Amino acid sequence: MKKCKVRFAPSPTGPLHIGGARSALFNYLYAQKQGGEMVLRIEDTDRERSKIEYEEEIIESLRWLGIDWTEGVGKGGENGPYRQTERLPVYQRYIKQLLDEGKAYYCFCTDAELEEQRQSLIKKGETPRYLGQCSHLSAEEVQARLDAGAKPAVRFRVPRNKIYVVNDLVRGRVSFEADGIGDFIIAKSDGLPTYNFAVVIDDVLMGITLVMRAEEHLSNTPRQLMIYEALQFPRPDFAHISLILGEDRQKMSKRHGATSLIQYREQGYLPEALFNFLSLLGWSPHGEEEILNPEEIIRDFSLERVSKSPAVFDLDKLNYINQQHIKRKSLDELQALLYPYLEQSPYAAQVKALDEKRLGYMIAAIRNHLVCLTDVNQELGVFFDQFQYEEEALEVLQGEQVVRVLTLFTEDLPACQDPAEVGAFIKQVIKKSKEKPKNVYMPLRSAISGRTHGPELPALICVLGREETLRRVQHTLEKING
Ligand code: GLU
């Protein structure tokens, strides 16, 4: 059996967004699962809007996400070049073939004429399309205009009275009437091919067996099928994956918050979490478990479980998934991931002053509270800020047992080198005080941090160290005693 080969073909007219990343990911998952190949092709024929910086950002985003390709930009391969603007002679060859065979023709209409036609069709309530004015020009007429220096576009002659059918692997059988489609441009007057033409030539020459892309390209598919037919190319399979909607059920856009992958990276999302989250935008795993690593997703991925209905982007779900992936990290991994954020934090100096052991305790103490890596700063305040007691903490500190408990605590507090030891010590205090655990933990936490919630108490104490812990408790006792 022929090896499957998919492609991701972004236009470098902006950064990689959630939608593009999802298309790239599904192609990657499919290729990985099938043991196939994947091409990265850059579709940069819109010269005005395409920028090399965007191409670089797209590639950086794909790499960060953990998507790899076997052939294409950044990798090379035997079907290159992989940037469309570097393939112009290839397209010109096929455009000439279509012109020679009468399947395409030169169009000399000006933008103004085309616009006028468009408006008049709209006024009549008809679908705006090209009505074929230049399709009847004689060879002599065409030659005369070319000799006079006109720079025509090239239009494809759409066959009449035909139905084009695609058996889409996600959407099923979809048919299109050719009559609703006007003769369309395949090469602009500057010689550059249009998307619908170049995409076919490239998919064929690059040996693509499955074209998987966003649903918004479904309406382009009949035009592409016509080109396959006209050039007698074998067709690949097609799979159109559904739109991604915002929580308000509108198409995803900037209004729905950060959308470029790089922005998510900057906000402290893990690539594994985004990989996991994107995979669930339109696909569902066999089991109940939704927190999955890339290997698990690849193993389970199939087009049969890709849904036809639109996917909804749910930020709470992304946050939840990110939190779960943070929890799965080892302490060393998490420490390395947090390093850049710690270095830039207002507490950088204090963090630097911690020895390895205490740094480890601190990270262990906050890990369960992190939704994003950037939350680390918010979590560090409790260790380093000069705090004000919160209302609830003040209430706790009014308990009749409080002075007794705090005093017992200060009497024998050990060296605070090991959270297990401190934990055992607090249990002793509970025993000696004959209080319920809560009546000891809450005042201690309130006295030490000014809050009633926060990181594990023994870890907090070990990060602060014996001296600072005692200072805080003394300070609280003085406050209580007026
Ligand atoms: N360059 C097109 C895009 O970015 C690719 C469409 C396709 O995959 O055919 O939308």
Side-chain angles (χ1 to χ4, degrees):
M1 214 176 84
K2 211 167 138 196
K3 238 189 182 184
C4 90
K5 196 173 190 184
V6 293
R7 86 300 195 272
F8 178 53
S11 303
T13 52
L16 185 66
H17 291 290
I18 285 290
R22 198 266 313 248
S23 295
L25 178 66
F26 278 30
N27 276 289
Y28 173 72
L29 293 172
Y30 186 83
Q32 288 289 308
K33 174 71 189 266
Q34 307 286 324
E37 295 172 76
M38 174 159 162
V39 173
L40 175 68
R41 178 173 73 230
I42 297 292
E43 303 206 326
D44 57 349
T45 54
D46 184 342
R47 276 214 161 115
E48 255 145 58
R49 291 172 57 225
S50 297
K51 292 212 164 60
I52 186 74
E53 296 87 296
Y54 289 137
E55 178 187 312
E56 286 162 0
E57 184 176 328
I58 290 169
I59 291 178
E60 188 184 335
S61 306
L62 291 172
R63 295 220 159 106
W64 175 73
L65 196 57
I67 291 182
D68 198 11
W69 50 101
T70 43
E71 179 184 331
V73 171
K75 275 267 158 85
E78 54 189 32
N79 303 298
Y82 294 95
R83 265 183 216 94
Q84 290 188 325
T85 50
E86 293 168 11
R87 300 173 60 76
L88 301 184
V90 178
Y91 308 124
Q92 269 140 21
R93 206 163 64 232
Y94 290 102
I95 286 170
K96 181 168 179 309
Q97 181 182 333
L98 291 177
L99 283 168
D100 290 348
E101 293 174 357
K103 292 175 180 168
Y105 59 86
Y106 286 114
C107 173
F108 298 91
C109 294
T110 63
D111 287 349
E113 286 163 350
L114 294 172
E115 183 53 28
E116 203 184 303
Q117 170 176 308
R118 222 177 81 83
Q119 291 305 336
S120 103
L121 284 171
I122 291 175
K123 223 184 243 162
K124 282 194 255 165
E126 289 183 42
T127 326
R129 62 193 188 283
Y130 185 63
L131 295 179
Q133 290 85 327
C134 291
S135 66
H136 313 298
L137 295 179
S138 68
E140 294 73 35
E141 216 164 331
V142 169
Q143 198 52 52
R145 294 207 197 184
L146 290 177
D147 291 344
K151 290 254 171 292
V154 178
R155 278 187 194 270
F156 181 76
R157 206 183 288 280
V158 170
R160 294 298 142 209
N161 298 318
K162 273 194 87 156
I163 306 255
Y164 284 83
V165 176
V166 57
N167 288 310
D168 192 281
L169 298 188
V170 172
R171 325 210 77 78
R173 186 177 188 277
V174 190
S175 62
F176 307 88
E177 280 183 31
D179 284 356
I181 299 174
D183 294 349
F184 56 92
I185 295 184
I186 55 177
K188 292 173 273 181
S189 55
D190 60 7
L192 284 172
T194 55
Y195 158 68
N196 277 315
F197 180 73
V199 75
V200 171
I201 305 298
D202 290 348
D203 284 340
V204 170
L205 297 184
M206 293 176 187
I208 302 305
T209 61
L210 168 64
V211 169
M212 185 173 0
R213 60 189 170 197
E215 189 185 348
E216 62 201 21
H217 287 295
L218 186 61
S219 59
N220 286 319
T221 309
R223 292 177 181 78
Q224 296 170 18
L225 296 180
M226 292 171 194
I227 306 282
Y228 281 101
E229 181 183 61
L231 290 169
Q232 290 176 308
F233 284 151
R235 276 193 199 181
D237 287 326
F238 288 90
H240 287 89
I241 38 185
S242 46
L243 294 177
I244 303 174
L245 305 180
E247 274 162 89
D248 53 2
R249 307 272 154 171
Q250 302 294 312
K251 197 170 173 251
M252 263 298 265
S253 71
K254 289 210 184 81
R255 279 185 300 115
H256 297 94
T259 50
S260 86
L261 270 267
I262 297 294
Q263 276 171 292
Y264 286 102
R265 179 175 75 179
E266 281 164 5
Q267 290 180 8
Y269 290 94
L270 297 183
E272 302 88 321
L274 232 17
F275 192 108
N276 189 169
F277 174 72
L278 290 171
S279 77
L280 300 174
L281 287 177
W283 168 77
S284 49
H286 275 94
E288 294 280 296
E289 182 56 60
E290 288 207 310
I291 305 301
L292 302 165
N293 63 34
E295 297 70 43
E296 293 167 315
I297 296 169
I298 289 167
R299 219 177 304 133
D300 199 13
F301 187 82
S302 70
L303 285 181
E304 285 81 63
R305 298 189 67 85
V306 171
S307 164
K308 267 194 234 187
S309 9
V312 176
F313 180 95
D314 177 351
L315 186 60
D316 290 338
K317 184 163 176 177
L318 172 59
N319 286 336
Y320 173 73
I321 292 178
N322 202 52
Q323 192 170 21
Q324 299 310 312
H325 280 274
I326 288 178
K327 283 187 187 169
R328 283 183 170 196
K329 292 280 170 203
S330 73
L331 279 184
D332 283 346
E333 286 170 324
L334 189 56
Q335 191 166 323
L337 285 167
L338 289 173
Y339 191 75
Y341 299 93
L342 293 173
E343 257 199 324
Q344 285 177 16
S345 103
Y347 309 105
Q350 288 107 310
V351 172
K352 238 192 192 121
L354 294 176
D355 56 36
E356 269 302 303
K357 230 164 133 187
R358 288 162 79 205
L359 181 62
Y361 297 149
M362 184 181 81
I363 291 180
I366 60 174
R367 72 186 296 167
N368 289 348
H369 299 259
L370 299 177
V371 173
C372 288
L373 298 174
T374 36
D375 292 337
V376 66
N377 285 331
Q378 208 172 297
E379 297 297 323
L380 289 188
V382 67
F383 299 100
F384 305 118
D385 278 344
Q386 292 301 334
F387 62 83
Q388 299 280 331
Y389 298 88
E390 284 175 359
E391 205 52 51
E392 278 173 38
L394 288 173
E395 250 164 62
V396 167
L397 292 172
Q398 278 167 10
E400 59 79 25
Q401 86 290 16
V402 169
V403 173
R404 201 158 38 86
V405 165
L406 295 185
T407 313
L408 275 175
F409 178 82
T410 52
E411 275 170 9
D412 295 313
L413 181 65
C416 301
Q417 291 296 330
D418 175 2
E421 191 190 357
V422 172
F425 169 71
I426 297 176
K427 290 215 170 85
Q428 264 176 296
V429 174
I430 295 172
K431 216 166 160 190
K432 275 197 212 161
S433 69
K434 302 200 170 63
E435 290 289 339
K436 285 189 200 144
K438 184 175 157 230
N439 291 344
V440 173
Y441 280 113
M442 291 292 267
L444 278 177
R445 182 183 289 288
S446 304
I448 293 170
S449 70
R451 310 183 196 175
T452 53
H453 299 282
E456 295 266 312
L457 198 51
L460 172 62
I461 291 171
C462 288
V463 176
L464 296 176
R466 187 168 189 275
E467 203 180 315
E468 173 65 10
T469 305
L470 286 178
R471 193 190 65 75
R472 290 185 180 194
V473 177
Q474 291 300 355
H475 176 81
T476 306
L477 278 169
E478 280 160 29
K479 191 175 157 68
I480 296 172
N481 293 328

